[in-house]
Amino acid sequence: MRGLKLAAICAALGLTAILSPVESREVKRETTARSATAGKPAPRAAHRVQRGRASFYANHFHGKRMANGRRFNRNSNAAASRTLPLGTEARVKNLENGRTAVVTIQDRGPFKRGRVIDVSPRIATQLGMREDGVVMVEVVPLSIPSNPG
């Protein structure tokens, strides 16, 4: 009896595999072949222009260690990103007033949902976001180190 149930389940699973749409399997094969023949890997999403909300470090982080091992200086051009490699220089543009600043990614974060970058208080002043605290920005990587760290 138990063997009969097992055989019925295996047959049902086999039928679903046979009856699955062929087109979806062909599309997967085509995209795989296309990416293999391109010769170049697709650019990583982390190195593209990012849009989202930006915040800035609180003053009590001054002197604390960052992800790169250095101590945070609130008067520097340091920034934190979850996706950009450490050492990357990026241009941050406040989309609400058009001001820009160049930052260096030296830390990991922000860890709050919906935020793409944390900047130092000096950069926050330069971007005109100290009053608001959190603003919409565009982050454009300018130079990405070949050996991040």
Side-chain angles (χ1 to χ4, degrees):
M1 183 74 170
R2 189 173 181 180
L4 188 60
K5 287 181 182 177
L6 185 60
I9 292 172
C10 289
L13 290 174
L15 284 176
T16 57
I18 293 171
L19 297 176
S20 65
V22 176
E23 295 100 13
S24 65
R25 283 184 267 169
E26 289 175 1
V27 169
K28 286 180 186 175
R29 286 186 192 131
E30 287 176 17
T31 56
T32 306
R34 213 179 303 132
S35 63
T37 58
K40 295 181 184 177
R44 292 185 50 190
H47 301 164
R48 294 191 199 141
V49 174
Q50 299 176 0
R51 283 183 177 222
R53 299 185 78 66
S55 53
F56 62 94
Y57 285 90
N59 283 328
H60 72 268
F61 287 106
H62 183 71
K64 306 277 188 196
R65 292 220 182 259
M66 296 182 291
N68 65 359
R70 297 188 183 124
R71 294 191 179 272
F72 175 69
N73 179 354
R74 67 177 163 244
N75 297 314
S76 69
N77 71 336
S81 171
R82 288 187 306 264
T83 55
L84 291 170
L86 296 178
T88 299
E89 285 194 354
R91 184 177 61 244
V92 180
K93 179 180 181 181
N94 182 339
L95 296 176
E96 295 173 8
N97 62 19
R99 293 184 181 183
T100 63
V102 176
V103 299
T104 303
I105 304 300
Q106 297 182 7
D107 203 5
R108 291 290 167 225
F111 300 109
K112 190 104 171 169
R113 188 179 199 153
R115 298 194 186 165
V116 295
I117 196 165
D118 272 338
V119 296
S120 68
R122 187 192 92 175
I123 296 297
T125 301
Q126 193 174 343
L127 292 172
M129 61 180 278
R130 290 292 290 262
E131 292 284 320
D132 299 327
V134 178
V135 296
M136 284 296 294
V137 296
E138 180 180 74
V139 181
V140 180
L142 300 175
S143 68
I144 299 169
S146 58
N147 203 4

